[in-house]
């Protein structure tokens, strides 16, 4: 079928809106009419060639929409169902077998290779392949095909255009708290960086009953939003060298949990140094390969844990419907951090996100 998609034709290129051909779903695949897709930093890094995804390529990995058709073997959803497309996993590696799909040992390759696992592409133009299947979905398009395992059915009374970001940034931030940290009511919590991932973690910390909840960032407007969403204390990092001391002071010796989302080594170090003994820092910030950080060994020896987390260590079929319920209960008002753009304005969305003007861009698809 013919679809409209945002295509990147070269490294550091821009997104161009083009008509493409999309193949038919295989027996285990689902065709989704995308209503809206969130945009992550990862899409821009993909555009710029960080992951060696071949060009021309279609990115996008936070797609939400309506099932239009299913393959003959699909039993988990039906045409008309509302769905969000989550991250891919292989299902057979040692980590998949121990129920840790987010740490799938093929996960990175399945996300970035631009083809299905068997090397086939989903999209083409005039008979020439377009590398698609980014995160096994490529949701910057009017339609996407995904394996049914990664397609999560959600309640149909939830506003679909708000749900796409649960697939990556929402699941990553909220899952880091609810699945990885598992805080108890009254546990202290600090988040470093309140972009879409950090704010999702902060809202989850509020749901878990954490207190105090400290937000650290360099933008006053984001810190103001963090307050609205549940932060009890905010610290603007600009011009300050005493952030760790401040957090120790207001928690009486350090936080039980810290969440690092900035991907900056100096901030990561602060997120660890802000911990109480036997506290845990979850690392979400995605730094380029080769980035190093130094810690005092003695500091780590006192029971402090650094835990790297991917995709919120979530089981999407269970966790994403929970997040949608939180949204519908008013406990996770993700719309507060979203800015909507038509697909045709995807380059403006990317630029405003890079400049920090937009926290979470969401692209509405033309239909
Ligand atoms: Zn696997
Ligand atoms: Zn993402």
């Amino acid at each position: 079928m013919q679809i409209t998609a945002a295509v990147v034709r070269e490294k550091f290129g821009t997104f161009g809106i083009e008509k493409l051909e999309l193949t038919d779903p295989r027996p285990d695949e689902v065709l989704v009419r995308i209503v809206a897709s969130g945009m992550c930093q990862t899409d821009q890094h993909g555009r710029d060639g960080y992951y060696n995804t071949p060009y021309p390529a279609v990115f996008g990995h936070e797609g939400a929409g309506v099932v239009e058709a299913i393959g003959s073997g699909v039993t988990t959803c039906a045409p008309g169902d509302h769905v969000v497309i989550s991250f891919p996993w292989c299902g057979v590696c040692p980590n998949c077998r121990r129920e840790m799909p987010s740490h799938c040992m093929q996960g990175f390759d399945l996300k970035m290779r631009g083809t299905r696992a068997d090397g086939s592409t989903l999209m083409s133009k005039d008979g020439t392949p377009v590398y698609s299947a980014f995160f096994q979905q490529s949701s910057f398009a009017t339609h996407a095909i995904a394996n049914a395992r990664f397609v999560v059915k959600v309640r149909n009374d939830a506003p679909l255009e708000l749900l796409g970001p649960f697939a990556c940034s929402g699941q990553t931030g909220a899952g880091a708290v609810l699945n990885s940290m598992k805080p108890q009511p009254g546990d202290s919590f600090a988040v470093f960086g309140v972009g879409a991932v950090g704010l999702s973690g902060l809202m989850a910390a509020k749901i878990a009953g954490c207190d105090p909840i400290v937000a650290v960032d360099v933008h006053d407007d984001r810190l103001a939003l963090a307050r609205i969403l549940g932060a009890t204390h905010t610290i603007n990092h600009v011009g300050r060298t005493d952030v760790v001391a401040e957090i120790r002071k207001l928690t009486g010796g350090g936080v039980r949990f810290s969440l690092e989302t900035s991907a900056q080594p100096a901030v990561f170090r602060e997120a660890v140094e802000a911990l109480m003994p036997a506290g845990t820092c979850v690392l979400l910030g995605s730094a380029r390969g080769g980035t190093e950080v130094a810690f005092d060994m003695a500091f780590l020896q006192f029971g402090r844990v650094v835990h790297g987390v991917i995709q919120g260590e979530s089981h999407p079929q269970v966790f994403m419907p929970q997040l949608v319920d939180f949204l519908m209960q008013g406990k996770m008002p993700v719309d507060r951090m979203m800015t909507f753009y038509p697909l045709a304005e995807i380059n403006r969305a990317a630029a405003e996100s890079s400049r920090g003007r937009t926290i979470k861009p969401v692209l509405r698809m033309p239909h």
Side-chain angles (χ1 to χ4, degrees):
M1 67 182 291
Q2 196 182 64
I3 64 167
T4 301
V7 183
V8 180
R9 294 213 156 258
E10 59 185 357
K11 190 169 178 169
F12 295 114
T14 54
F15 298 97
I17 306 302
E18 300 188 24
K19 300 277 188 218
L20 302 179
E21 194 63 29
L22 180 68
T23 188
D24 293 327
R26 289 177 173 175
D28 57 351
E29 290 178 336
V30 177
L31 170 66
V32 180
R33 176 171 60 84
I34 302 293
V35 169
S37 175
M39 176 186 268
C40 254
Q41 207 79 72
T42 307
D43 297 305
Q44 296 184 57
H45 290 166
R47 175 198 63 190
D48 295 342
Y50 281 28
Y51 313 118
N52 298 317
T53 306
Y55 302 97
V58 175
F59 297 97
H61 61 287
E62 291 185 334
V66 181
V67 174
E68 199 149 289
I70 56 173
S72 57
V74 174
T75 58
T76 47
C77 62
D81 283 349
H82 289 195
V83 294
V84 180
I85 312 174
S86 188
F87 61 87
W89 63 95
C90 78
V92 295
C93 76
N95 278 345
C96 284
R97 287 204 307 270
R98 65 182 177 127
E99 302 283 308
M100 298 184 78
S102 67
H103 290 299
C104 171
M105 293 157 75
Q106 306 301 324
F108 186 84
D109 183 54
L110 286 170
K111 290 171 184 171
M112 306 305 178
R113 61 182 296 145
T115 70
R116 293 187 184 102
D118 68 1
S120 59
T121 49
L122 297 159
M123 299 176 186
S124 60
K125 175 136 182 172
D126 303 329
T128 306
V130 172
Y131 292 89
S132 39
F134 187 66
F135 275 64
Q136 298 301 310
Q137 58 174 288
S138 289
S139 58
F140 293 164
T142 51
H143 298 77
I145 286 178
N147 189 288
R149 265 190 302 152
F150 318 134
V151 175
V152 178
K153 185 176 164 179
V154 293
R155 54 195 273 183
N156 64 7
D157 61 339
L160 254 179
E161 63 180 22
L162 301 183
L163 307 187
F166 282 138
C168 187
S169 57
Q171 189 161 240
T172 294
V177 174
L178 298 175
N179 300 325
S180 307
M181 294 175 179
K182 297 189 170 77
Q184 298 299 309
D187 278 340
S188 51
F189 173 89
V191 55
F192 290 75
V194 281
V197 169
L199 288 172
S200 299
L202 184 148
M203 288 187 276
K206 171 119 195 280
I207 289 168
C210 291
D211 187 25
I213 295 175
V214 186
V216 184
D217 200 277
V218 296
H219 299 289
D220 279 330
D221 55 336
R222 292 189 179 199
L223 290 170
L225 180 56
R227 279 236 179 229
I228 292 167
L229 297 179
T232 57
H233 302 77
T234 56
I235 301 173
N236 189 324
H237 203 301
V238 175
R240 295 187 67 154
T241 55
D242 61 344
V243 170
V244 169
E246 178 72 18
I247 291 174
R248 288 214 188 117
K249 195 170 87 189
L250 53 91
T251 53
V255 277
R256 172 74 180 85
F257 294 105
S258 65
L259 187 63
E260 151 37 46
T261 73
S262 77
Q264 297 184 42
V267 177
F268 180 26
R269 184 174 175 147
E270 287 176 342
V272 173
E273 291 182 342
L275 292 173
M276 65 198 281
T280 295
C281 171
V282 166
L283 170 65
L284 298 180
S286 169
R288 292 200 75 167
T291 306
E292 297 192 352
V293 62
F295 299 114
D296 185 325
M297 279 177 67
F299 196 78
L300 282 187
Q301 197 188 2
F302 282 83
R304 296 179 179 91
V305 173
V306 173
H307 180 173
V309 168
I310 295 287
Q311 306 289 166
E313 298 189 325
S314 120
H315 294 267
Q317 300 287 357
V318 178
F319 191 55
M320 293 218 298
Q322 286 174 5
L323 294 179
V324 175
D325 285 345
F326 288 144
L327 166 69
M328 297 303 282
Q329 293 157 7
K331 296 177 182 169
M332 197 159 274
V334 288
D335 53 304
R336 298 297 302 252
M337 57 180 162
M338 291 178 178
T339 306
F340 290 90
Y341 303 84
L343 180 66
E345 291 181 31
I346 182 171
N347 290 304
R348 183 166 69 87
E352 292 187 355
S353 162
S354 294
R355 282 207 305 274
R357 266 189 66 185
T358 296
I359 299 178
K360 176 50 95 176
V362 178
L363 302 166
R364 288 188 176 116
M365 300 305 152
H367 284 291

